[in-house]
Amino acid sequence: MILLMYVFLFLLASSSVSLSDAEDTIRPNKVMRENETLISANGVFELGFFQDGGVSGYVFLGIWFKDIANKKPVWVANRDNPLEQFYSTLEIRDDGNLIVMDRRQAPMIINYGTVATSWNTSATLLDTGNLILRQSGEVIWQSFHFPTDTLLPGMRLGWFGLQMNDLQLKRRVLLSWLSPRNPSRGAFTVGTGYKDAKTLAVWKGDAVHMDIGYLERDGFRFIFNNSILSFNLSYTSTSNETYLTLNTNGGYDMSWLVIASSGQLDEYAVYKGEILLVRHDLCDADALRLRAVNSSVCLRDAWQNCKDGDAFVPVNGTMPSSISMNISIIGDFDDCELTCQANCSCAAFAFGESGCQLYYGSGHDLINLSGRGVFHVRTNIAASRKQGGEKRRVAITIVLSSMASVTLAIIVFWCFKRRQKCVSRVNQLGDGEDSGSKGEVKLIGHDAKSIKTDIEFIGEGGNLAWFCINTLEEATGDFDAENKLGEGGFGPVYKGKLPSGQEIAVKRLSKRSAQGVKEFRNEIILISRLQHRNLVKLLGCCIHGEDEYMLVYEYLINRSLDSFIFDESKQILVDWKTRVQIIEGIAQGILYLHKYSRLRIIHRDLKASNILLDGDMNPKISDFGMARIYGENETCAKTTKIAGTYGYMSPEYAMDGHFSEKSDVFSFGIMVLEIISGKRNIAFFQADHSLNLLGYAWKLWKEGRSIEFLDTTLAKASQSCEAAMCVQLGLLCVQERACDRPVMAEVVAMLSNHVDSLPLPKEPAFLT
């Protein structure tokens, strides 16, 4: 057995050719492994695999300066999808796309967004640090269009596709690393203003930001005073794009900018072979909050603090110039005031013969100034200036302390009553004739030292979190339409991000939905007790008022299965191995529900849109609102309310209301046929309208032409016997009589090749 394993590994290694030393290009049929690299023509940059430096041992593909000692990558290909150590490879697939893989054999396309349409491609690392993919000699993709945390000369930050629709509009920004050794997405972003590249700003999260530079008539100007002036930013604007480009100034060999994981902006330059570094401190290292340069006070990170100081008051004295900048404004005093007012990090402004001067330093630096002149300070800062004697300050302190005590008492009482109401409301979710058991709620994890009550834990052992409505409103941008991921029978689903940085998906019950509190309760009771890698994870819920019901799930970056297999532009991204992996994962998840979970469960609404995909294209079953708990000795149940999706319902359920494990098997069979064909069951018609997808699959299988049933993007890459097996498996699951269909344990065995041959299927239901 060991000998056979070594032979297999030898054949696998010899099936493709490794790179030779010092190559700058990878071509089809060549594989780059973890111990190999690409080196640009003049040895400036190197591309290869690197580890994140942590205990995880994750592997990433990156580009770094070849002769700089620390080898910190300037570009990372798979920062959100790390690979496993010892098995990572880079190659050009037979369809022309550049992919990385590990032992899981789930290919990830590097040139996502512009897929190749021909096998005649090659990837080259240039001396600029740009990795380009050529097809028939023409560049179709380049890494410079997808920067990570580093801005190299020639890279562009800004907006592209302005004349296109919103789906095609693209914004290029820098995103910091999660930590100095982990290239995953961090907290800080560097980018230009909205659809305008005349300003450059740093964001923390999605809202808090600080402007760090403006376009002047004589060029782009930063608020930094300690720059080594090794670079400049040039501005370009056309009808379709507006962007800033980094250019190295004369005398320096190269310069580049990096947004650090701590929020600092690092300026690097190479001068006569020596590397120079200037660090622009935009952030308080302890609080990780943006602040003005050289200021001792963090930038205000709540917009309401800015709103309270929208007005300005005149102050006599000379405004400090240490952290101020002059900007050219075509207008008058009012325009200067509006410019400062629109930016929360602008503490004061002055307008005179020299134009508009904005101050970005600490508000404390504006107190007790002297000198000639007049400048204008935000009211919340001006109020801090000394305006009276010691008696006035003492009186104000006493009044404010009393008010704070009363307010705190009110808040504590309100929170206590609200928690009681939350317990009562959630306990009601456990009541119901078919709920299986009562859902006892336990509120735990409350810290008496903190008033922060955004998340309260409920459920057995604190498995689920109770989210307050304001937390979800802030996370989703008040349920902004731009964050909407889709909509189902329950209601719309929104993408959000919690203060901790965790991304979530929020499903909100629609007032127009046919589903309601019963389905909401059902999902909480069922999915909170299920733990399986192929089931979506429910993080918590929210009840607000009488009609606001929300469920909070883990966010899965690749969204739903139907968005891939039914989209012509994305079908090519899901190759044969990935589709088989998805089918196997769905089967394992259903088997767990039917046989191995604490509660035997029938899902009743299995369909492609209820299968979510993570970053590795692993499937996760979601939406348990229609699911039913199934007794150990039950073989079939009946309902008078038919709920589900036509096209996936078994005939006995759709016509008579009878459902069982075989109902889920039927839905699974539909999905198998949809996954391998790339066509929807309910939307497939032949030219003569005689057969639907099931009838078409049955016809081709009987005639021995199952290969023709496959998605056209798969036909060349798939073996006919494997295709015929999948079609036959799908047909076995959609047979008209429930007793003829296999159980999920048998399906998993068939997929795992634990059977010598598959049974012959009978004619499927709904043939025409």
Side-chain angles (χ1 to χ4, degrees):
M1 186 66 185
I2 297 176
L3 179 61
L4 289 174
M5 183 179 296
Y6 278 112
V7 171
F8 171 76
L9 292 174
F10 173 79
L11 292 174
L12 181 65
S14 60
S15 62
S16 55
V17 181
S18 296
L19 292 173
S20 60
D21 294 336
E23 285 194 43
D24 66 348
T25 301
I26 185 170
R27 295 178 174 83
N29 301 321
K30 286 193 176 182
V31 176
M32 191 185 85
R33 308 188 190 281
E34 281 189 43
N35 60 343
E36 299 171 326
T37 61
L38 291 181
I39 300 176
S40 62
N42 292 315
V44 180
F45 285 95
E46 188 172 20
L47 178 145
F49 293 101
F50 68 98
Q51 293 186 39
D52 62 359
V55 295
S56 65
Y58 284 141
V59 173
F60 299 85
L61 179 71
I63 297 173
W64 54 82
F65 284 97
K66 184 178 183 299
D67 294 328
I68 292 182
N70 64 6
K71 303 288 185 183
K72 195 261 182 191
V74 298
W75 180 80
V76 182
N78 59 318
R79 64 190 310 183
D80 295 322
N81 297 286
L83 303 169
E84 293 189 358
Q85 191 177 358
F86 305 127
Y87 301 96
S88 304
T89 59
L90 171 70
E91 62 181 298
I92 291 183
R93 200 165 58 182
D94 54 7
D95 59 4
N97 290 297
L98 191 63
I99 66 168
V100 290
M101 280 197 303
D102 58 19
R103 66 177 179 179
R104 294 169 291 186
Q105 295 297 298
M108 189 192 82
I109 295 183
I110 299 300
N111 53 294
Y112 181 77
T114 309
V115 295
T117 57
S118 167
W119 60 270
N120 186 21
T121 60
S122 62
T124 302
L125 178 63
L126 305 180
D127 283 322
T128 58
N130 194 9
L131 177 66
I132 62 173
L133 182 67
R134 291 190 178 98
Q135 179 175 285
S136 301
E138 180 182 353
V139 176
I140 63 170
W141 177 89
Q142 52 185 305
S143 62
F144 268 24
H145 288 175
F146 302 89
T148 50
D149 69 329
T150 304
L151 186 66
L152 294 171
M155 279 187 174
R156 301 171 178 178
L157 298 182
W159 295 86
F160 301 84
L162 297 176
Q163 293 181 330
M164 307 296 182
N165 56 44
D166 289 340
L167 293 177
Q168 294 173 297
L169 180 64
K170 292 183 175 61
R171 185 189 185 200
R172 292 181 200 159
V173 297
L174 302 181
L175 287 168
S176 68
W177 283 25
L178 185 62
S179 71
R181 304 176 72 182
N182 188 342
S184 301
R185 294 172 186 263
F188 297 94
T189 304
V190 175
T192 60
Y194 181 67
K195 295 187 181 179
D196 182 2
K198 293 184 179 180
T199 60
L200 194 68
V202 178
W203 281 262
K204 180 180 183 294
D206 295 328
V208 188
H209 81 282
M210 172 183 177
D211 292 329
I212 59 174
Y214 294 85
L215 181 67
E216 289 266 54
R217 291 177 180 173
D218 57 347
F220 201 87
R221 183 172 180 178
F222 285 88
I223 64 174
F224 312 138
N225 294 316
N226 57 342
S227 172
I228 55 181
L229 300 177
S230 63
F231 70 95
N232 63 68
L233 294 179
S234 59
Y235 171 72
T236 303
S237 180
T238 68
S239 59
N240 195 47
E241 55 192 20
T242 175
Y243 58 85
L244 297 171
T245 308
L246 179 77
N247 305 290
T248 302
N249 282 336
Y252 291 92
D253 300 323
M254 179 175 280
S255 59
W256 63 96
L257 290 176
V258 178
I259 177 67
S261 58
S262 57
Q264 298 157 320
L265 194 66
D266 294 338
E267 177 186 353
Y268 289 88
V270 178
Y271 182 72
K272 294 183 178 180
E274 182 181 357
I275 299 176
L276 308 176
L277 166 63
V278 172
R279 174 155 287 176
H280 306 296
D281 292 318
L282 309 174
C283 178
D284 189 330
D286 294 329
L288 282 185
R289 288 159 49 186
L290 294 176
R291 64 177 175 85
V293 183
N294 296 331
S295 170
S296 60
V297 180
C298 289
L299 177 73
R300 291 174 295 278
D301 56 10
W303 68 270
Q304 54 264 38
N305 290 345
C306 177
K307 182 179 68 174
D308 294 340
D310 276 347
F312 293 84
V313 296
V315 174
N316 293 323
T318 301
M319 188 167 70
S321 59
S322 58
I323 317 171
S324 64
M325 61 180 298
N326 294 317
I327 65 171
S328 300
I329 292 180
I330 302 175
D332 53 16
F333 174 91
D334 292 337
D335 295 316
C336 185
E337 180 180 12
L338 286 173
T339 301
C340 186
Q341 186 182 74
N343 190 340
C344 292
S345 57
C346 180
F349 75 92
F351 187 82
E353 295 180 358
S354 59
C356 182
Q357 187 180 25
L358 305 180
Y359 179 77
Y360 288 90
S362 167
H364 294 285
D365 298 337
L366 299 175
I367 298 176
N368 296 329
L369 292 176
S370 60
R372 295 182 178 181
V374 177
F375 60 97
H376 299 263
V377 183
R378 285 191 186 272
T379 52
N380 57 351
I381 298 174
S384 300
R385 296 169 64 89
K386 292 183 179 180
Q387 298 179 359
E390 188 66 25
K391 291 182 180 180
R392 181 180 177 87
R393 288 196 298 272
V394 172
I396 291 175
T397 301
I398 294 174
V399 171
L400 291 179
S401 299
S402 301
M403 292 177 63
S405 299
V406 173
T407 303
L408 181 60
I410 293 173
I411 291 174
V412 171
F413 177 77
W414 179 83
C415 288
F416 175 76
K417 297 298 290 182
R418 180 176 175 84
R419 289 178 192 175
Q420 283 189 322
K421 183 179 180 181
C422 288
V423 173
S424 175
R425 291 296 303 280
V426 180
N427 271 331
Q428 293 173 9
L429 296 176
D431 299 328
E433 59 184 6
D434 60 351
S435 64
S437 64
K438 270 198 170 184
E440 182 183 354
V441 176
K442 298 178 182 178
L443 295 181
I444 64 173
H446 297 296
D447 188 351
K449 298 179 182 178
S450 174
I451 305 177
K452 186 175 182 180
T453 57
D454 282 346
I455 301 177
E456 301 167 352
F457 292 92
I458 67 172
E460 290 185 13
N463 291 329
L464 293 184
W466 175 265
F467 291 86
C468 291
I469 183 69
N470 61 325
T471 301
L472 299 185
E473 287 175 341
E474 292 174 6
T476 60
D478 202 12
F479 300 104
D480 194 320
E482 292 186 0
N483 292 325
K484 187 175 179 180
L485 298 174
E487 187 160 359
F490 187 90
V493 182
Y494 298 87
K495 179 183 178 182
K497 181 182 285 188
L498 297 176
S500 63
Q502 181 180 8
E503 291 185 317
I504 57 174
V506 181
K507 186 161 68 170
R508 188 182 191 187
L509 177 63
S510 171
K511 295 179 176 62
R512 302 186 303 273
S513 173
Q515 302 181 38
V517 179
K518 181 179 179 181
E519 288 77 13
F520 178 85
R521 180 194 66 224
N522 199 46
E523 185 138 5
I524 291 177
I525 292 173
L526 294 185
I527 199 171
S528 64
R529 303 181 183 185
L530 305 177
Q531 296 291 333
H532 193 272
R533 69 188 304 267
N534 294 117
L535 302 184
V536 71
K537 185 177 182 181
L538 179 67
L539 302 178
C541 63
C542 173
I543 304 175
H544 181 72
E546 298 299 325
D547 55 1
E548 280 284 13
Y549 295 88
M550 283 168 270
L551 296 168
V552 182
Y553 298 91
E554 61 177 327
Y555 172 71
L556 298 175
I557 190 171
N558 283 322
R559 302 190 183 183
S560 58
L561 174 62
D562 63 332
S563 67
F564 274 88
I565 60 174
F566 300 141
D567 187 332
E568 292 183 358
S569 64
K570 292 184 179 180
Q571 286 174 335
I572 193 173
L573 303 177
V574 193
D575 61 10
W576 177 253
K577 288 183 179 179
T578 304
R579 298 195 194 205
V580 172
Q581 169 192 309
I582 291 172
I583 291 172
E584 291 175 345
I586 298 172
Q588 292 286 356
I590 301 173
L591 176 61
Y592 170 78
L593 294 176
H594 288 182
K595 189 173 182 179
Y596 297 115
S597 65
R598 286 190 289 173
L599 304 171
R600 289 183 65 203
I601 293 172
I602 301 174
H603 189 282
R604 292 206 302 167
D605 197 20
L606 291 169
K607 55 184 176 181
S609 60
N610 282 343
I611 305 299
L612 305 182
L613 302 171
D614 66 11
D616 295 322
M617 300 298 283
N618 294 312
K620 294 179 182 286
I621 301 171
S622 70
D623 200 342
F624 286 77
M626 300 296 175
R628 290 287 296 270
I629 298 174
Y630 201 54
E632 286 295 330
N633 298 319
E634 276 188 278
T635 57
C636 185
K638 184 176 182 178
T639 181
T640 56
K641 180 182 177 181
I642 307 299
T645 304
Y646 288 104
Y648 294 91
M649 292 184 191
S650 63
E652 69 275 10
Y653 179 53
M655 296 177 181
D656 301 316
H658 293 284
F659 62 89
S660 65
E661 293 179 355
K662 300 296 184 73
S663 306
D664 283 352
V665 173
F666 183 91
S667 302
F668 172 77
I670 297 291
M671 286 192 291
V672 170
L673 297 176
E674 288 184 331
I675 291 170
I676 61 179
S677 68
K679 298 177 177 63
R680 295 181 188 271
N681 181 38
I682 59 174
F684 178 84
F685 294 100
Q686 286 191 306
D688 59 359
H689 301 279
S690 61
L691 295 174
N692 60 13
L693 187 65
L694 302 190
Y696 185 57
W698 173 252
K699 178 176 180 292
L700 292 178
W701 177 79
K702 285 199 305 179
E703 296 173 358
R705 297 188 293 134
S706 294
I707 190 69
E708 297 178 25
F709 185 73
L710 294 191
D711 187 334
T712 54
T713 63
L714 297 175
K716 294 180 180 179
S718 307
Q719 298 179 358
S720 58
C721 59
E722 201 172 7
M725 187 275 289
C726 283
V727 173
Q728 187 171 342
L729 175 62
L731 291 173
L732 284 169
C733 294
V734 297
Q735 294 178 97
E736 186 163 6
R737 297 173 60 201
C739 60
D740 292 331
R741 300 172 208 146
V743 296
M744 287 310 301
E746 294 172 326
V747 171
V748 170
M750 295 174 191
L751 288 168
S752 304
N753 297 319
H754 293 163
V755 294
D756 297 329
S757 61
L758 301 186
L760 297 179
K762 298 178 181 178
E763 189 173 278
F766 307 128
L767 192 65
T768 59

